[in-house]
Amino acid sequence: AAGSSSLGEWPATVRHLADDWRQQRASEAASDDVPIRPQRVIAELQQHAGRDRIFVSDASLASGWLGAYFEQTVPGRKLLFPRGLAGLGWGLPAAIGAAVAAPDHRVVALVGDGALAYAVGELSVVAQRQLPITVVVLNNSSYGWIRWYRRIGFGRGWEQDDFGPTDFAAVASGYGLTAARVDTPADLAPALESALSAQGPSLVDVVSSVWDTPVAAHREALEAGTRGAYGT
């Protein structure tokens, strides 16, 4: 008690900031916008977290979404990130490793479409070994972080998608996974529930927004840009 009194109003300030953050997060997660906002995807995953789930994130914005918007509510190391270890394409191979190490757990891999393209052939391993992995793809036809950087740093080169649309559900089906493609928020929850309850591996391809970011500095810079810094 003596120690807490010396902190003054700081504990109350922290609680206030945390409450504000959770309200903002809840508002974003409830969005019915199309393309689907990643915040909505993380909120739906939170509902299906369970004690037996292991979450693996790929690099770039996927790590930000899972790290900032997902709350771990059970003890133990349940979330794996490539921070300081590797770049794009890390997520699916890491999920394979986690599934082999913990075969009684369902592993959920959150990846961007650019990241999955680096290691898409590993879906054959997942299918061949029937690993308990569910891949959730944030598919916005872009290298999201780089596209944000081009817009904020240069004010150009961000107007068009980085690649043509790819139906990763069709790709996954070709490898033998249970797969679904989702482009409306109302279809997201049932698709995830079906994928996470599948007997073998599964994939949910979510057509998602590119102009959402978990990085506060990105948002602030974009707001400054819309006031004329980059003519947007």
Side-chain angles (χ1 to χ4, degrees):
S4 62
S5 62
S6 65
L7 294 175
E9 298 179 357
W10 180 239
T13 299
V14 171
R15 287 193 295 271
H16 175 71
L17 292 172
D19 288 343
D20 283 352
W21 159 241
R22 288 189 171 91
Q23 289 178 14
Q24 175 188 332
R25 183 183 62 184
S27 176
E28 295 174 2
S31 171
D32 287 325
D33 289 350
V34 176
I36 299 170
R37 302 183 74 177
Q39 298 95 311
R40 179 71 178 263
V41 178
I42 301 302
E44 296 291 354
L45 286 175
Q46 185 81 61
Q47 296 299 314
H48 297 86
R51 299 186 65 88
D52 63 338
R53 307 277 193 249
I54 297 174
F55 289 83
V56 177
S57 174
D58 214 297
S60 195
L61 292 180
S63 285
W65 289 123
L66 194 64
Y69 280 74
F70 186 93
E71 289 196 33
Q72 181 168 319
T73 58
V74 295
R77 188 173 187 183
K78 298 294 186 180
L79 285 82
L80 305 177
F81 297 89
R83 314 319 298 164
L85 295 176
L88 290 178
W90 184 89
L92 184 54
I96 292 172
V100 171
D104 294 332
H105 293 68
R106 168 67 58 168
V107 178
V108 182
L110 182 71
V111 304
D113 53 329
L116 181 57
Y118 273 73
V120 69
E122 299 302 328
L123 290 176
S124 65
V125 176
V126 174
Q128 181 183 22
R129 296 182 174 272
Q130 284 295 290
L131 297 174
I133 294 174
T134 296
V135 182
V136 179
V137 189
L138 298 177
N139 190 343
N140 55 25
S141 296
S142 291
Y143 291 121
W145 192 291
I146 296 173
R147 196 171 178 193
W148 270 93
Y149 181 74
R150 292 198 302 267
R151 182 169 187 175
I152 293 169
F154 301 101
R156 57 184 174 82
W158 53 266
E159 299 88 350
Q160 304 298 323
D161 294 340
D162 292 322
F163 9 83
T166 301
D167 186 339
F168 282 101
V171 174
S173 294
Y175 280 108
L177 280 72
T178 299
R181 183 173 173 87
V182 179
D183 56 14
T184 59
D187 294 332
L188 184 57
L192 287 174
E193 184 174 354
S194 177
L196 291 168
S197 62
Q199 290 298 312
S202 58
L203 180 145
V204 179
D205 186 24
V206 183
V207 180
S208 58
S209 166
V210 69
W211 297 123
D212 280 292
T213 176
V215 183
H218 284 177
R219 301 183 187 202
E220 293 166 3
L222 185 59
E223 289 173 0
T226 58
R227 291 195 292 270
Y230 303 122
T232 57

